[in-house]
Amino acid sequence: MNLYKYASPTAFYPLAGKMIPWFAVAAALLFVAGLYVGFFVAPTDFQQGDAYRIMFIHVPAAWMGMLLYVLMAFYAAIGWAFNARLASMMASSISITGALFTLISLVTGSLWGKPTWGTWWVWDARMTSTLILLFLYIGFISLQSAIDEPRRADRAGAVLAVVGVINVPIIYFSVQWWNTLHQGATIRILNKPTIAPPMLAALLIMLAACWLYSIAVVLVRLRYIILEREQNAARVAAMAV
Amino acid sequence: MLTMFRWIVWRDLTLAWRRRADVLSTLFFFVIVVSLFPLGIGPESQLLRSIAPGVVWVAALLASMLSLSRVFENDYHDGTLEQMLLTPQPLFLVVLGKVLAQWLVSEVPLALIAPLLGVQFDLEPHTLWILFISLLIGTPILSLIGSIGAALTLGLRGGGVLIAVLILPLYVPVLIFGAGAVDASITGGNIQANIYLLAAFFLLALVFSPWATSAALRISLE
């Protein structure tokens, strides 16, 4: 079997269509399982009460936000270097989901912050760098949507994503440095070392669910992008019917 | 190769000299933005002193946005840029020359006038000196990174706003180290660490960003 043939958007389109239901169903099942363990099995935290349970969506969302940025840059770079259209489409498709997860992690973070720290927002190193990550996503998305010609949009996005990836660690450490210098509210997000096994299990299940959800949604969006861009290819026209 | 570099720098400087109003308007923008802050916040000198580093630095970032969108714009519209891409000399040098000219024309005046604005905020002479140094090391980074954004947004509608959305998040480390150095000289923190980090970031940007800008120019002019 020649796997490389799936690098062609028109060949990948039906394959993606077949994969989406599997990932979507698996994601739904894991979300249910993760939420069940998170709400009913995991014990109440002795410091934070039940408020900590928002962690089960907050932490996976934050991880996904960061990972998807790297993944997006990876696909964008592949698409740029090897002139692979599908990889570039993948990058554009991932960018929206990544931005969404970053936004979710910021919103849930501030909802969590209110009952535990007594404030919606703290200029804590992690929150600040997540905010900047969201700005980087927004930059990528707005650059791509400002360019009408798809291949130029792909390549321009790739340059920006690669520059962003090089910058992310620098931004992260500079923000941390800035935070320790200013010595504002030094709040550790979690006193990590002891986390009850059911809590960890719920967290990991939710993380897996988020991954599967991302794959499913990215593929759905990818199919739309393929339809939109390759509409002149006869085979796609046939598929769209 | 160096002739080409010198020629580019000289040409851009001449062009800027003949269009002085553009350069001056960026400078006045910087001065006006900085002067608006006391009006918005109030004349309390203790408060003003503590926000001065951040205010001056943020205003410098915004002002450099204004001038950056023009780095390649005119050459792009009259076709000169395309000819430059076709020359046998490495594009790296062309980019570096244009960035150097942009820095000399638009950023150095900001660094020169910043101490005067610092006086408005009642800063000590020593702090004014650090402000000048930090801007002198930090603004080339703004030009280098900003040129990537200028090249990417070449010829796009709403390019001016778009470049700000793309580039301002990447400026975060410059802002932190630059304003941090000035802040350290007020609060007695470690000035050197900030300046060194700023210089390190400058070297990194000097190596990588002309390369990224060249790639972006090729993409935009395809």
Side-chain angles (χ1 to χ4, degrees), chain A residues 80 132 135-136 138-139 142-143 145-148 152 155-156 159-160 163-164 167 170-171 174-175 177-178 181-182, chain B residues 148 152-154 156-157 162 165-166 169-170 172-173 176-177 183 193-194 197 201 204 211-212 215-216 219-220 222:
Chain A
W80 180 28
I132 294 165
F135 293 159
L136 290 178
I138 291 173
S142 39
L143 176 65
S145 50
I147 305 178
D148 293 326
R152 182 183 163 188
R155 297 204 186 109
V159 173
L160 189 68
V163 170
N167 247 287
I170 302 176
I171 291 175
S174 66
V175 167
W177 165 267
W178 163 79
L181 264 189
H182 281 251
Chain B
I148 304 174
L152 284 175
T153 55
L154 213 50
L156 299 181
R157 56 200 138 71
L162 191 59
V165 176
L166 303 188
L170 299 176
V172 167
I176 289 176
F177 299 137
D183 203 43
N194 279 294
L197 282 167
F201 196 48
L204 201 70
W211 172 82
I219 290 163
S220 296
E222 222 163 52

Side-chain angles (χ1 to χ4, degrees), chain A residues 177 181, chain B residues 176-178 180-182 184 190-199:
Chain A
W177 165 267
L181 264 189
Chain B
I176 289 176
F177 299 137
V182 185
N190 193 340
I191 304 168
Q192 276 182 358
N194 279 294
I195 295 283
Y196 287 159
L197 282 167
L198 204 59

Side-chain angles (χ1 to χ4, degrees), chain B residues 51-113:
Chain B
I51 62 159
V55 166
V56 174
W57 259 98
V58 170
L61 300 193
L62 296 179
S64 81
M65 286 284 94
L66 286 187
S67 58
L68 272 167
S69 49
R70 286 196 301 263
V71 192
F72 301 112
E73 202 66 38
N74 291 325
D75 286 346
Y76 172 69
H77 283 305
D78 65 15
T80 321
L81 197 61
E82 209 156 335
Q83 299 304 318
M84 287 175 179
L85 253 71
L86 293 174
T87 52
Q89 271 76 18
L91 190 54
F92 196 93
L93 279 181
V94 176
V95 168
L96 215 52
K98 290 191 81 69
V99 170
L100 176 64
Q102 191 270 344
W103 179 68
L104 287 173
V105 167
S106 309
E107 311 278 351
V108 172
L110 298 190
L112 288 174
I113 206 156

